[in-house]
Amino acid sequence: RKWLSSMKIRKSRMEDIEKIMCVIHEAQESMRANGIPQWQDGYPNEEVISQDIKIGNSYVLVEDENIIGTAYIIVGHEPSYDYIEGGQWLNDHPYVVVHRIAVRKDYKGKGVARYMMEFAEKIAMEHQLQDIRIDTHHDNIPMRTFLAKLGYHACGTIYLDNGDKRIAYQKSF
């Protein structure tokens, strides 16, 4: 993973939107090709991403000025995590949430998403937190496998604002 040293994670800027959307469109295409119905309804769109940037919780992974990954990382409460079905959270400690994580397809399988998740853990530690929560579509087997490899536990089912079901994961470290 030595090549990761040439990369840095920084807060996204408004002028990054176009490149961020390219990464997201690749992720949407990959999910569609794999029969995963996640992100197939025009979400996340430029409006969502620009809102993420405005509130200061959008991050990009950059290599030589190229954006190769993106994620929304927030320290705080996720209302859709208040109700969980068919299981329970590992604890009720304050947590960091990761949403909208995506990596350019030519960087898949190279540790980029892991690097971004480790960055989320650093943010948690800076805030004296030991918990991260994330959710994904039940059919998103690549993401579910990835999260399990990183030590995340499937805790149950949560519902998004629009009623869509997601598997909720938590890691406590």
Side-chain angles (χ1 to χ4, degrees), residues 113-114 117-118 121 145-152 171:
R114 172 186 292 262
M117 292 301 289
E118 287 168 357
E121 289 182 19
T145 304
F146 167 70
L147 291 171
K149 261 189 207 152
L150 293 187
Y152 283 76
K171 182 176 183 179

Side-chain angles (χ1 to χ4, degrees), residues 26-81:
E26 282 189 6
Q28 288 168 325
E29 184 49 50
S30 168
M31 285 189 244
R32 183 167 39 255
N34 289 298
I36 301 164
Q38 191 172 355
W39 287 11
Q40 298 303 307
D41 56 0
Y43 169 92
N45 57 28
E46 285 190 27
E47 198 180 324
V48 170
I49 300 303
S50 82
Q51 196 54 41
D52 291 352
I53 294 170
K54 281 186 190 125
I55 56 178
N57 297 314
S58 175
Y59 294 86
V60 285
L61 178 60
V62 181
E63 182 186 47
D64 306 324
E65 296 312 302
N66 291 317
I67 291 174
I68 59 172
T70 181
Y72 173 87
I73 303 168
I74 184 167
V75 177
H77 173 245
E78 169 59 65
S80 61
Y81 290 174

Side-chain angles (χ1 to χ4, degrees), residues 17-150:
I17 286 184
E18 206 175 302
K19 288 178 179 169
I20 291 170
M21 289 312 298
C22 285
V23 175
I24 286 170
H25 290 141
E26 282 189 6
Q28 288 168 325
E29 184 49 50
S30 168
M31 285 189 244
R32 183 167 39 255
N34 289 298
I36 301 164
Q38 191 172 355
W39 287 11
Q40 298 303 307
D41 56 0
Y43 169 92
N45 57 28
E46 285 190 27
E47 198 180 324
V48 170
I49 300 303
S50 82
Q51 196 54 41
D52 291 352
I53 294 170
K54 281 186 190 125
I55 56 178
N57 297 314
S58 175
Y59 294 86
V60 285
L61 178 60
V62 181
E63 182 186 47
D64 306 324
E65 296 312 302
N66 291 317
I67 291 174
I68 59 172
T70 181
Y72 173 87
I73 303 168
I74 184 167
V75 177
H77 173 245
E78 169 59 65
S80 61
Y81 290 174
D82 290 347
Y83 172 75
I84 188 165
E85 200 174 82
Q88 62 183 38
W89 295 108
L90 301 177
N91 57 52
D92 57 4
H93 302 160
Y95 51 89
V96 165
V97 181
V98 179
H99 284 315
R100 298 186 275 290
I101 183 166
V103 172
R104 261 188 31 199
K105 67 171 180 265
D106 48 335
Y107 283 86
K108 284 227 166 90
K110 295 186 177 175
V112 173
R114 172 186 292 262
Y115 187 69
M116 295 180 79
M117 292 301 289
E118 287 168 357
F119 178 77
E121 289 182 19
K122 282 189 193 121
I123 290 178
M125 289 186 260
E126 282 167 13
H127 290 84
Q128 279 82 50
L129 302 177
Q130 285 86 43
D131 292 272
I132 296 186
R133 293 181 184 182
I134 186 170
D135 63 84
T136 193
H137 195 281
H138 288 70
D139 294 339
N140 194 339
I141 304 304
M143 186 64 171
R144 292 177 61 186
T145 304
F146 167 70
L147 291 171
K149 261 189 207 152
L150 293 187

